[in-house]
Amino acid sequence: MIQDHRDGWIEVITGVMFSGKSEELMRRVRRAMIARKQVQVFKSHLDDRYGGLGQISSHDGQEIPALPVSASRDIAERVATDTQVVAIDEAQFLDTGIVSVTNSLADEGRRVIVAGTDMDFRGEPFGPLGPLLAVAEKIDKLHAICVVCGELATRNQRLIDGQPAPAEGPTIQVGGLESYEARCRRCHDVPSAVDDQMQLISGGRRP
Ligand code: ADP
Ligand code: ZN
């Protein structure tokens, strides 16, 4: 943890779903409030799990109020002059403008805490998280437990009707019926619908 720091900075909490990013963000926000800092909390409006839009919720049911935003510009416009700590959850859903917005907030002397998953369901970099990691002063990469084998999970497994979802699906599936699991690299499965079709035509099987 950065302490006795009079300038602003960016800290990113990242990792797979279920790794505790929201829990850790809430812990840092609560501690900033205990330290009597002026805190504002935002989250992408695309995340409406559990309690809905007006709050951040973790998978274990904790909640804190948060302002839903649809674009990085909304955050720039809504941060109050006296705000000392800005927390942003589910940042992977925001546009890449979030990099310059968080940089400006830090330049102005604020502490910026960003949480978001760094890989999409294919295991590829997710939205603005890569560039955010590059400009951050501090990064914590958290892990979950692989629900298949019990090792450390680093990948987001998308499932449709309980089956691994094909790579060709959209990165952000709004209002979809898909579900997610935390898995390790070995248990992560991203079949290609195109490959499957080719194998069907040629009568082959996927290894
Ligand atoms: P994130 O924001 O990274 O998605 P949360 O903070 O919302 O994670 O939730 C973390 C909590 O999820 C854990 O403390 C634990 O209670 C629960 N959990 C459910 N599934 C798993 C898993 N496979 N590995 C680790 N924690 C899990
Ligand atoms: Zn595994």
Side-chain angles (χ1 to χ4, degrees):
M1 184 62 65
I2 301 169
Q3 282 177 343
D4 297 329
H5 205 297
R6 275 175 298 154
D7 299 327
W9 71 88
I10 300 170
E11 53 197 62
V12 179
I13 307 161
T14 195
V16 66
M17 288 166 78
F18 302 99
S19 63
K21 299 182 296 297
S22 296
E23 277 173 3
E24 179 58 22
L25 184 84
M26 288 191 264
R27 191 183 79 92
R28 293 184 194 184
V29 164
R30 288 202 188 98
R31 288 165 63 92
M33 287 170 170
I34 290 168
R36 297 198 180 83
K37 303 287 184 197
Q38 291 294 325
V39 185
Q40 275 186 277
V41 185
F42 299 93
K43 71 170 213 176
S44 163
H45 76 302
L46 285 182
D47 178 64
D48 58 358
R49 67 183 180 184
Y50 305 120
L53 276 182
Q55 61 224 5
I56 292 175
S57 311
S58 75
H59 286 109
D60 71 353
Q62 297 178 59
E63 290 172 357
I64 55 168
L67 210 59
V69 289
S70 55
S72 60
R73 203 184 48 237
D74 298 344
I75 297 175
E77 287 168 359
R78 290 178 194 192
V79 170
T81 323
D82 61 349
T83 296
Q84 297 163 294
V85 179
V86 178
I88 305 163
D89 199 14
E90 304 294 345
Q92 73 277 2
F93 294 139
L94 293 169
D95 52 284
T96 49
I98 193 65
V99 179
S100 59
V101 167
T102 49
N103 252 332
S104 300
L105 293 170
D107 288 346
E108 290 162 4
R110 303 178 220 262
R111 174 184 177 193
V112 185
I113 312 168
V114 186
T117 194
D118 50 355
M119 276 181 268
D120 64 18
F121 74 100
R122 302 178 201 91
E124 290 168 4
F126 202 149
L129 252 290
L132 269 173
L133 294 173
V135 300
E137 271 84 357
K138 178 176 185 281
I139 299 164
D140 288 290
K141 180 145 177 167
L142 309 182
H143 303 101
I145 302 300
C146 174
V147 297
V148 178
C149 75
E151 292 295 321
L152 285 185
T154 55
R155 299 286 188 279
N156 295 310
Q157 176 69 52
R158 179 185 280 175
L159 299 170
I160 297 175
D161 291 333
Q163 296 304 312
E168 289 77 9
T171 301
I172 300 173
Q173 188 126 39
V174 183
L177 293 173
E178 86 282 11
S179 60
Y180 290 90
E181 285 177 355
R183 292 198 187 180
C184 70
R185 180 185 282 274
R186 185 187 289 260
C187 298
H188 187 228
D189 189 6
V190 190
S192 162
V194 177
D195 284 358
D196 283 356
Q197 236 159 26
M198 293 301 289
Q199 261 140 16
L200 216 64
I201 292 163
S202 67
R205 270 179 357 106
R206 281 190 348 111

